């Protein structure tokens, strides 16, 4: 994992906050299967971490919670980036032993495993190939969905899985949206991302020449509605800006485009055109 894609001057995803229908059921999955540790916990909320200090994922059980809705905007998956291929090898052996149903893909830039939490919230766990092996042409990075060589991956390491390594980060988030055109305008003209891959029905955006910090797709249908606020799925995710000047510039861009922005303590809060909520934060 190359850390320059997740530090200044890059803008990147910091934390993801999701609703679950039963916190007591979800926590063992996220601790024992995924390998998070609990940073803070109340009756209806748990903040999860890999390094013991940085929140990566927060689970909330809202009042009158509803099951995850289909064919809406919102979370497709959040993606946990492991530091090395050996870590992904250990994770694959661990989840296979636990009998977890998995999807797997080689995306050329990365190798990825896919699974769902007990509520159907999508999760990707992946490792990046070195960036000097990514193929760029005219500002676009080559990505594909090929079969993963699971035998090669398993042969990479024989270490037992001991939970998420401390250097784990939230690598990216992939969202269902209602319209690609206004979504592209929001993320590119507003937030300053670059579109680095066009895919059938999807866009992949990043800063700093990463393969993608954000995926955006209309695979749930053009003009899909937003889910209910109390349904399982995405509450919000955070984008970490390198400095106040950069963040203020993007806030002004969004306001000029008519976005409604709220200031709360250390965050600006905005919704994209598909009502996916984003907290705009500053790097430490």
């Amino acid at each position: 994992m190359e850390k320059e894609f997740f530090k200044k001057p890059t803008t990147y995803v910091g934390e993801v906050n999701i609703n679950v229908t039963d916190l007591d059921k979800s926590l063992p999955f996220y601790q024992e299967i995924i390998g998070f540790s609990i940073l803070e916990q109340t009756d209806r909320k748990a903040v999860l971490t890999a390094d013991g200090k940085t929140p990566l994922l927060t689970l909330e059980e809202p009042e009158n919670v509803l099951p995850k809705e289909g064919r809406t905007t919102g979370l497709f998956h959040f993606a946990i980036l492991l530091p090395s291929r050996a870590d992904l090898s250990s994770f694959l052996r661990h989840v296979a032993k636990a009998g977890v149903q998995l999807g797997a893909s080689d995306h050329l830039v990365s190798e990825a495993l896919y699974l769902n939490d007990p509520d159907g919230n999508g999760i990707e766990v992946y490792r990046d190939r070195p960036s000097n092996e990514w193929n760029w042409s005219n500002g676009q990075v080559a990505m594909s969905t090929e079969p993963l060589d699971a035998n090669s991956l398993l042969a990479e390491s024989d270490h037992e899985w001991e939970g998420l390594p401390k250097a784990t980060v939230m690598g990216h988030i992939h969202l269902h949206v209602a319209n690609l055109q206004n979504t592209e305008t929001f993320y590119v003209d507003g937030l300053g991302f670059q579109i680095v891959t066009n895919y059938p029905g999807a866009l992949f955006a990043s800063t700093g020449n990463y393969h993608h910090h954000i995926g955006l797709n209309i695979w749930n249908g053009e003009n899909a509605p937003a889910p209910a606020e109390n349904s399982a799925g995405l509450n919000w995710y955070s984008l970490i800006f390198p400095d106040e000047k950069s963040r203020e510039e993007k806030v002004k861009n969004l306001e000029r485009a008519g976005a409604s922005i709220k200031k709360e303590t250390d965050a600006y809060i905005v919704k994209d055109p598909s009502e996916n909520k984003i907290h705009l934060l500053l790097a430490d």
Side-chain angles (χ1 to χ4, degrees), residues 48 133 148:
L48 305 180
E133 295 178 16
L148 181 73

Side-chain angles (χ1 to χ4, degrees), residues 35-112:
F36 279 108
S37 302
I38 295 174
L39 190 60
E40 298 168 30
Q41 185 179 357
T42 62
D43 285 350
R44 290 186 167 269
K45 181 176 176 179
V47 182
L48 305 180
T49 182
D51 65 4
K53 56 187 181 186
T54 309
L56 291 182
L57 179 70
T58 295
L59 311 177
E60 297 201 33
E61 183 187 328
E63 296 279 353
N64 304 313
V65 63
L66 300 171
K68 188 172 174 67
E69 298 176 54
R71 314 301 290 176
T72 65
T73 60
L75 185 69
F76 181 44
H77 63 246
F78 59 84
I80 298 163
L81 176 56
L82 301 181
S84 72
R85 191 172 196 245
D87 295 319
L88 190 63
S89 175
S90 299
F91 180 74
L92 174 55
R93 190 175 295 104
H94 160 69
V95 290
K97 200 181 291 182
V100 175
Q101 188 172 348
L102 280 179
S105 293
D106 186 326
H107 294 303
L108 306 183
V109 295
S110 63
E111 293 178 298

Side-chain angles (χ1 to χ4, degrees), residues 94-167:
H94 160 69
V95 290
K97 200 181 291 182
V100 175
Q101 188 172 348
L102 280 179
S105 293
D106 186 326
H107 294 303
L108 306 183
V109 295
S110 63
E111 293 178 298
L113 302 173
Y114 294 93
L115 62 163
N116 288 330
D117 79 358
D119 288 298
N121 292 308
I123 305 165
E124 175 181 344
V125 180
Y126 75 112
R127 74 98 185 181
D128 277 337
R129 286 197 167 88
S131 61
N132 61 10
E133 295 178 16
W134 305 350
N135 291 313
W136 290 86
S137 175
N138 299 319
Q140 298 261 305
V141 65
M143 290 186 8
S144 183
T145 300
E146 306 293 337
L148 181 73
D149 187 342
N151 290 332
S152 165
L153 182 58
L154 287 169
E156 184 76 18
S157 168
D158 58 5
H159 289 149
E160 288 292 312
W161 179 248
E162 295 175 351
L164 292 170
K166 285 185 166 44

